[in-house]
Amino acid sequence: KNLETEIGAQLFDRTKKQIKPTAAGQFFRNEVKRILENLDQAKKKAAQIHRGEAGEINIGHVSSAMQSVLPPFLKMITRSYPDLKIGFLENTNRLIFNKIINRELEFGIVPNAVAPDVIEEITLYKENFVIVMPKNLKIKIGKPAGLKALSKVDWILPAREDGHGYNEILYRLFQKNGFTPKVVFQSPNASTNLRLVSEGLGVTIIGKSAIKNVNLNIKHYELHDIPAKVEMRFVWLKERKEELKEYIRLFLKLFNEIQLH
């Protein structure tokens, strides 16, 4: 009776010996049952989100990350955490940082990035640079000539305006070898640069993992003896660290497992 008074509707038909729900009462019962079931699901989902096992996370990445850490990471996520939805955006270092700062992305995977002060980062892995050339290029770049043997060829490099540290490393390497590269094409997309090399339009320098499983008309020379390395970094907005801490913990755990294997 109190509930009927509160709702302003008759929930039970009491005109006969057997009390039964009215149409309004049946509707109310079904709705309450649905709400309680949804409440239970909401509790479970909230707990999963708290543990970093559910929700929706958006990650910005450079193209070379899709040749290294992202495929095995995706396999682990979809297999072990099916309720966690991951969105990916391939872009340049600069735009990834901007979108993280604007809270359009939660995380980024970027190489050798000189991050803004508001960004926190951790290195996922380091690897050697490789020089990638068309197969028919008749130039040897081993000792003693080194990279200087490529001083006259056309180069395909990342766009300099996306520098943020990565391009500075490359140009210091060229200067150390006594030349400034003749750049004919610039693109932040590793797969685009490799395709251009395959078509005989120049040579490029890139992280070793970017040529993994690539079936193109190219050859490569690994730079073992230089201190400069590709450093792939996982980044996020410092002021969101507490909010994202469970995702950070989970993702770093998975990235570590990838490296161990």
Side-chain angles (χ1 to χ4, degrees), residues 17 25 40 77 80 94 120 166 175 186 200 233 241 252:
K17 292 181 180 180
D40 187 52
I77 282 289
S80 303
R94 179 170 301 183
E120 192 163 343
Y166 188 81
Q175 291 167 3
Q186 292 182 305
R233 296 168 185 166
K241 185 174 183 178
L252 291 180

Side-chain angles (χ1 to χ4, degrees), residues 152-169:
K152 304 299 182 183
V153 304
D154 292 336
W155 283 84
I156 301 160
L157 295 176
R160 289 204 76 168
E161 60 267 21
D162 188 43
H164 278 288
Y166 188 81
N167 270 307
E168 283 76 0
I169 291 173

Side-chain angles (χ1 to χ4, degrees), residues 107-202:
F107 300 108
I109 300 176
V110 295
N112 298 77
V114 177
D117 290 341
V118 294
I119 297 291
E120 192 163 343
E121 63 184 20
I122 189 167
T123 299
L124 296 178
Y125 67 84
K126 296 181 182 182
E127 65 179 2
N128 289 332
F129 283 100
V130 295
I131 302 295
V132 186
M133 302 166 280
K135 277 187 178 177
N136 61 1
L137 184 65
K138 305 297 183 182
I139 295 179
K140 293 183 178 181
I141 60 174
K143 295 179 180 180
L147 285 185
K148 197 167 185 178
L150 297 171
S151 61
K152 304 299 182 183
V153 304
D154 292 336
W155 283 84
I156 301 160
L157 295 176
R160 289 204 76 168
E161 60 267 21
D162 188 43
H164 278 288
Y166 188 81
N167 270 307
E168 283 76 0
I169 291 173
L170 299 184
Y171 277 86
R172 282 198 300 268
L173 180 60
F174 297 137
Q175 291 167 3
K176 188 175 180 180
N177 283 270
F179 72 99
T180 298
K182 176 189 173 186
V183 181
V184 292
F185 294 104
Q186 292 182 305
S187 170
N189 190 297
S191 58
T192 297
N193 291 345
L194 292 176
R195 174 64 66 178
L196 292 173
V197 173
S198 179
E199 294 297 325
L201 296 172

Side-chain angles (χ1 to χ4, degrees), residues 90-108:
E90 182 178 314
N91 222 306
T92 64
N93 289 355
R94 179 170 301 183
L95 287 177
I96 289 170
F97 285 140
N98 287 343
K99 286 184 176 296
I100 289 175
I101 292 169
N102 291 333
R103 296 173 178 257
E104 297 172 56
L105 295 171
E106 280 71 43
F107 300 108

Side-chain angles (χ1 to χ4, degrees), residues 199-212:
E199 294 297 325
L201 296 172
V203 303
T204 193
I205 180 170
I206 204 165
K208 183 179 178 180
S209 63
I211 60 170
K212 183 180 179 183

Side-chain angles (χ1 to χ4, degrees), residues 26-88:
Q26 189 63 44
F27 168 80
F28 186 76
R29 177 186 179 279
N30 292 339
E31 284 298 293
V32 168
K33 182 179 179 183
R34 180 184 61 80
I35 290 168
L36 290 175
E37 288 173 351
N38 288 344
L39 178 62
D40 187 52
Q41 288 298 315
K43 289 177 180 178
K44 292 178 180 177
K45 195 67 172 284
Q48 286 180 311
I49 292 172
H50 176 71
R51 296 192 299 268
E53 298 171 2
E56 184 173 343
I57 293 294
N58 294 295
I59 301 176
H61 68 91
V62 293
S63 61
S64 57
M66 197 53 78
Q67 300 294 331
S68 54
V69 294
L70 282 182
F73 173 77
L74 280 174
K75 288 180 181 179
M76 286 185 171
I77 282 289
T78 54
R79 182 175 64 246
S80 303
Y81 304 96
D83 293 317
L84 181 58
K85 308 304 178 188
I86 308 289
F88 289 102

